Amino acid sequence: MTTGTGTTGTGVPGAGAQWSGWGPPTETERLLHETAAAGDRDAMLDALARSRLYVLVARLHADTPGYAPLLTAHPDPVTPGRRCVTAHTSGTLPPWHPEWVFETIDLDELRRRWPDGVRWLVVNPGTPYAVTVAAGPGRRRAWQKAHERSAGPQRDLLVTHRAGPLHGPLAHGLALGAHLAVNNGIVWNDLGATYQGYSTDRARLRHPWGVLDRAAYRETLEALLTTRLVGRTYESVLQIRSTLAGRLGRTPTVPEWSAALTDALTRRRTPPSEAAEAHEALRLAVTYEGRLRADGALGADERVDTLAAFDYGRAVNVVRLALGARLCDPHEAEQAVLRIGALAGQAYSSWAQFSLGYSLARAMNFDEDDRSGVMYEQSLAQHRVLTQDPNSPYRNIAWS
């Protein structure tokens, strides 16, 4: 087990060719490098088992139905004459390329798909954080044990790419998608080669978004940018309270809000089914704002006036998925993220307000599927991480 850098000279992205874009590592790269350098094989394998690993695949092959590409051996970037399989962690992926993609793979799948006669795995080749792992038959049995000990890649984790955008408008826009990034345990500040893996990115666009091509992606993005998916009824019910608050000079009581809602529905001659939906929206807002207050996330005199954050936050992740799925290019993705950031800046006045809007919208939208309260607790935990962790973008990027 060694550490080092090198280049294969293949010219294939991710096959060991060195490039100059490396910055400070994420915690994953740091831990892998340190455990390998210390000679602690078990700790290093445990770190690998908890990491998202990526292997390079030609997009032509990845797009072929039923095709399962074999792991490819390359010249070892450290030791001439030796061949190895290469993999990357998320913080060291080479730049986005239209015809080369990265698929996610775990340590056990690497073991099961390992090519005959290849005895070395190099993780993060061509970078200062490269790790070489012995991969003979006996050593690969230890990979299975490490996989069984681990729970796989960690979720509910704030991961920052120190070489990615950390300040400025692009970082601000990417941070709007941080709730989902934390939920999935992936880097929040990256517009690069992949989001969660090429096939996964395409699958997540198909469901729940129904996106199969560039035109559908652009339609979905526009719907999110114009906040058409968060729920028209939810937004109108909150707007009635906000308007009433402006007239009263204070937040209305629940009975005052309910009466104003009933009056508005009557004046609009709203059908009974839609009126019932509106009153249910009010009930959900009161219920979850009450929970947020009880949990110390929402102040006694605070309220949420718009749920637009939910669409803006999801829009950032749809852009990142589309970039990973090769339905847009990096320039298009960057421009979309900047646009989302500008819109969010008009709707909210702070990170805390944005995060509360996102959390409340998620709780309200998934109330029927969250009878155990797990999703609410996840949303609350993400809100706390993003608003309280000293390393959070919400603590280090100015809102305006």
Side-chain angles (χ1 to χ4, degrees):
M1 170 170 38
T2 62
T3 61
T5 62
T7 177
T8 66
T10 64
V12 177
Q18 203 161 5
W19 68 287
S20 61
W22 311 119
T26 68
E27 184 67 14
T28 297
E29 287 82 50
R30 186 192 64 78
L31 182 60
L32 281 174
H33 193 268
E34 288 180 357
T35 55
D40 191 338
R41 187 183 70 179
D42 287 343
M44 188 269 296
L45 289 179
D46 286 343
L48 273 178
R50 293 192 299 270
S51 302
R52 280 184 172 80
L53 301 175
Y54 298 90
V55 292
L56 181 74
V57 179
R59 183 180 170 191
L60 177 66
H61 292 162
D63 285 342
T64 303
Y67 182 82
L70 298 175
L71 294 176
T72 303
H74 301 283
D76 191 310
V78 176
T79 305
R82 195 164 71 182
R83 295 183 66 76
C84 64
V85 168
T86 61
H88 281 267
T89 53
S90 61
T92 68
L93 289 172
W96 186 93
H97 190 284
E99 299 304 331
W100 291 95
V101 299
F102 285 89
E103 295 284 19
T104 187
I105 192 168
D106 62 33
L107 192 60
D108 190 53
E109 188 177 358
L110 271 174
R111 176 190 65 83
R112 288 185 281 106
R113 293 173 51 191
W114 197 259
D116 292 338
V118 180
R119 305 181 67 86
W120 301 96
L121 167 68
V122 178
V123 182
N124 300 330
T127 80
Y129 323 115
V131 173
T132 301
V133 185
R139 294 296 181 89
R140 295 201 302 275
R141 284 193 288 272
W143 297 8
Q144 182 178 8
K145 293 178 181 178
H147 174 77
E148 292 169 351
R149 287 194 301 268
S150 79
Q154 294 176 279
R155 297 171 62 94
D156 300 313
L157 190 67
L158 176 65
V159 184
T160 300
H161 191 346
R162 294 297 168 187
L166 296 173
H167 301 284
L170 183 58
H172 182 282
L174 287 169
L176 299 172
H179 290 82
L180 274 170
V182 169
N183 182 64
N184 293 314
I186 61 176
V187 171
W188 66 266
N189 63 327
D190 182 49
L191 282 177
T194 194
Y195 184 59
Q196 286 186 281
Y198 181 70
S199 294
T200 303
D201 295 346
R202 287 167 59 86
R204 289 190 62 187
L205 284 173
R206 285 194 302 271
H207 179 77
W209 298 109
V211 170
L212 299 176
D213 53 34
R214 289 172 63 90
Y217 156 62
R218 288 170 176 164
E219 289 176 5
T220 299
L221 180 60
E222 194 62 31
L224 288 165
L225 291 175
T226 52
T227 63
R228 298 202 303 268
L229 301 184
V230 72
R232 178 179 58 84
T233 300
Y234 290 170
E235 280 290 88
S236 65
V237 168
L238 291 180
Q239 183 59 50
I240 286 171
R241 180 177 60 175
S242 177
T243 301
L244 181 57
R247 290 204 304 264
L248 298 175
R250 59 173 173 80
T251 297
T253 64
V254 174
E256 289 171 334
W257 183 15
S258 181
L261 174 60
T262 299
D263 181 62
L265 295 172
T266 300
R267 284 186 285 104
R268 297 171 188 168
R269 297 182 180 179
T270 305
S273 61
E274 294 182 17
E277 182 183 351
H279 280 288
E280 173 63 6
L282 186 150
R283 185 192 69 80
L284 288 173
V286 170
T287 298
Y288 285 110
E289 281 189 339
R291 293 188 66 175
L292 289 168
R293 287 191 185 93
D295 289 321
L298 186 66
D301 297 325
E302 292 180 320
R303 64 178 186 271
V304 175
D305 285 336
T306 175
L307 305 179
F310 196 46
D311 276 0
Y312 295 146
R314 291 186 296 172
V316 171
N317 288 276
V318 165
V319 171
R320 294 184 66 187
L321 287 169
L323 181 63
R326 303 312 190 258
L327 297 184
C328 67
D329 62 36
H331 177 73
E332 291 176 276
E334 181 175 324
Q335 293 305 305
V337 170
L338 291 173
R339 184 181 171 196
I340 298 165
L343 291 169
Q346 296 169 12
Y348 296 92
S349 61
S350 70
W351 284 113
Q353 283 190 1
F354 173 86
S355 185
L356 286 167
Y358 184 96
S359 301
L360 179 61
R362 188 170 187 259
M364 292 175 66
N365 272 272
F366 293 104
D367 174 74
E368 290 186 3
D369 302 321
D370 193 32
R371 297 307 182 189
S372 64
V374 171
M375 195 171 296
Y376 168 79
E377 293 297 334
Q378 288 177 342
S379 297
L380 178 63
Q382 292 160 20
H383 171 76
R384 284 174 171 164
V385 166
L386 289 168
T387 57
Q388 296 176 15
D389 190 314
N391 296 313
S392 166
Y394 291 13
R395 300 288 300 274
N396 293 283
I397 300 173
W399 177 258
S400 57

